[in-house]
Amino acid sequence: GEDVEQSLFLSVREGDSSVINCTYTDSSSTYLYWYKQEPGAGLQLLTYIFSNMDMKQDQRLTVLLNKKDKHLSLRIADTQTGDSAIYFCAELNQAGTALIFGKGTTLSVSS
Amino acid sequence: NAGVTQTPKFQVLKTGQSMTLQCAQDMNHNSMYWYRQDPGMGLRLIYYSASEGTTDKGEVPNGYNVSRLNKREFSLRLESAAPSQTSVYFCASSKRPDEAFFGQGTRLTVV
């Protein structure tokens, strides 16, 4: 079945780059997603990448996809304290009816 | 613009009590979802509804029932609460399964 794996914690200093990694199992995934959860809130779609792309850049965010290794990463440049949150990697289930989430990576940014 | 509204925000139940978590969306989305979030487990899908009048089991449906009352509302019922159901519950809705909009969550404690 589908499975999405992430490391659980990442700690960085303000101004550094953050890289959050994810591996997934379903090679048929058309899109892969990153969601962000701020403290006490629900999840919000942050960005996504189409499976035929290697990279997508959106302001401070860069998504890299290695389809051969089924590895997805999210790079946040110039990390700010406001970026402190839980970041979830996600893919659609095989039926295409709902999202399957990883366990989430808690990003802690210190000043 | 309310988006996805969940009630209540917090609830404490005794083991064996029943309750219904309410969810309503005002975005005219066809699909709605219930997830639970537990530390170290990420989000797991409980039930989803692809359209009014249909519901399907997700990864962890045992101990729960759902009702898709109309296009706007999707409720989650715990018939006999157990401590293992202590969790944060999120309702989401979407026009497409991948771009889900989440509510603020219901923090449920079963003692």
Side-chain angles (χ1 to χ4, degrees):
Chain A
E2 310 95 346
D3 195 19
V4 180
E5 296 287 339
Q6 299 178 240
S7 53
L8 294 183
F9 299 101
L10 178 64
S11 182
V12 301
R13 286 182 169 267
E14 193 172 24
D16 287 349
S17 292
S18 306
V19 180
I20 301 170
N21 295 301
C22 167
T23 57
Y24 61 96
T25 55
D26 187 359
S27 58
S28 65
S29 292
T30 305
Y31 290 93
L32 292 149
Y33 309 90
W34 285 103
Y35 275 75
K36 178 183 180 182
Q37 183 183 30
E38 295 184 351
L43 280 70
Q44 286 184 302
L45 179 63
L46 193 61
T47 187
Y48 62 91
I49 188 166
F50 189 47
S51 60
N52 71 351
M53 298 170 67
D54 297 326
M55 184 181 86
K56 179 181 179 182
Q57 188 144 6
D58 184 1
Q59 299 182 332
R60 290 191 297 121
L61 304 178
T62 303
V63 180
L64 295 177
L65 176 60
N66 180 329
K67 210 174 173 187
K68 174 175 168 288
D69 295 337
K70 297 180 189 168
H71 183 265
L72 182 72
S73 66
L74 174 69
R75 180 177 181 270
I76 305 173
D78 188 24
T79 312
Q80 303 298 306
T81 53
D83 294 323
S84 293
I86 305 175
Y87 292 82
F88 292 91
C89 175
E91 63 176 349
L92 276 177
N93 61 7
Q94 287 190 341
T97 51
L99 286 164
I100 303 294
F101 290 91
K103 292 179 171 52
T105 299
T106 298
L107 175 63
S108 174
V109 183
S110 56
S111 55
Chain B
N1 187 7
V4 179
T5 302
Q6 293 183 234
T7 55
K9 287 187 170 48
F10 300 92
Q11 183 72 48
V12 178
L13 288 179
K14 293 184 178 178
T15 298
Q17 285 185 317
S18 62
M19 81 160 294
T20 300
L21 280 64
Q22 307 287 354
C23 175
Q25 51 95 5
D26 62 2
M27 296 173 281
N28 202 36
H29 288 160
N30 285 324
S31 300
M32 296 186 75
Y33 313 85
W34 278 104
Y35 286 89
R36 59 177 289 175
Q37 183 178 22
D38 302 291
M41 298 295 290
L43 272 80
R44 291 180 292 170
L45 183 65
I46 304 170
Y47 272 94
Y48 66 97
S49 170
S51 61
E52 186 180 348
T54 69
T55 61
D56 287 286
K57 293 179 181 180
E59 182 186 354
V60 288
N62 291 343
Y64 305 96
N65 286 300
V66 290
S67 295
R68 183 74 183 268
L69 304 167
N70 48 55
K71 193 170 187 179
R72 289 188 64 247
E73 297 172 290
F74 188 38
S75 62
L76 178 72
R77 181 159 179 84
L78 287 70
E79 290 292 350
S80 178
S84 61
Q85 293 177 305
T86 293
S87 187
V88 182
Y89 291 86
F90 286 100
C91 176
S93 72
S94 69
K95 190 173 179 181
R96 304 180 337 225
D98 51 353
E99 190 176 4
F101 292 82
F102 283 79
Q104 295 291 303
T106 296
R107 189 173 295 272
L108 175 67
T109 302
V110 183
V111 298

